[in-house]
Amino acid sequence: EIVLTQSPGTLSLSPGERATLSCRASQSVSSYLAWYQQKPGQAPRLLIYGASSRATDIPDRFSGSGSGTDFTLTISRLEPEDFAVYYCQQYGSSPPTFGGGTKVEIK
Amino acid sequence: QVQLVQSGAEVKKPGASVKVSCKASGYTFTSYDINWVRQATGQGLEWMGWMNPNSGNTGYAQKFQGRVTMTRNTSISTAYMELSSLRSDDTAVYYCARVLNRGGGTYLIGYWGQGTLFTVSS
């Protein structure tokens, strides 16, 4: 199974700052990589799929890049509602797997 | 709009079974695969398996083979996930989740239920 490693585990930033989250796969997943946001007590929400395509109604401050084994989620300017946990997921091969998550917290 | 509404929280004893329901609305139930994902408190997301609601075909994570069964009732647009031989480490929130679209792959999740917490405790 493909292992996804997210870094850092926690990112402490202030509103308005840029956030850069990393996801590395143990083998190539091509572009079958998605990013989800999860807030406390809520289900995850799809942000990005196909490594770089924004899901419906996702603000353009969220962007994804990468292919193969190295991927990045960038939040250009953090809004208060963006402080949450972010997970990457590969969905190109079975079993699909998730990374361990990156928590973006208010500094 | 797509909605997935899950059954309520449950408490079970070790060794028991639990069956979670997931009622779909806002789309044609048989047209989109359903996945089940669980999350222990304070932990990450763990994929359990998928089901094609049209054919009933399923695929399970190796970890849950023999303990999990995913079924559906198309007449009421409802998917079910049953987990047996419960252990304390099965305590988690369980999510049903619909794929984003038919061309995007079986495991790309676009819509999530609200989650069902079940607690395994003696």
Side-chain angles (χ1 to χ4, degrees), chain B residues 2-47:
Chain B
V2 174
Q3 279 198 309
L4 301 169
V5 178
Q6 300 182 222
S7 48
E10 305 217 34
V11 179
K12 294 290 184 181
K13 293 192 182 303
S17 297
V18 68
K19 191 171 186 177
V20 180
S21 67
C22 170
K23 182 168 179 60
S25 62
Y27 72 97
T28 302
F29 175 66
T30 51
S31 294
Y32 298 87
D33 292 346
I34 293 282
N35 289 261
W36 289 87
V37 175
R38 77 177 187 179
Q39 185 173 37
T41 302
Q43 302 300 309
L45 301 166
E46 181 176 31
W47 180 79

Side-chain angles (χ1 to χ4, degrees), chain A residues 17-30:
Chain A
E17 290 194 293
R18 181 184 188 89
T20 303
L21 288 66
S22 174
C23 176
R24 177 163 290 176
S26 60
Q27 62 191 80
S28 176
V29 300
S30 184

Side-chain angles (χ1 to χ4, degrees), chain B residues 30-71:
Chain B
T30 51
S31 294
Y32 298 87
D33 292 346
I34 293 282
N35 289 261
W36 289 87
V37 175
R38 77 177 187 179
Q39 185 173 37
T41 302
Q43 302 300 309
L45 301 166
E46 181 176 31
W47 180 79
M48 300 180 68
W50 70 273
M51 181 186 65
N52 179 310
N54 184 45
S55 64
N57 288 346
T58 56
Y60 303 138
Q62 189 169 6
K63 174 177 181 175
F64 300 102
Q65 289 274 4
R67 284 211 301 143
V68 70
T69 305
M70 295 175 188
T71 57

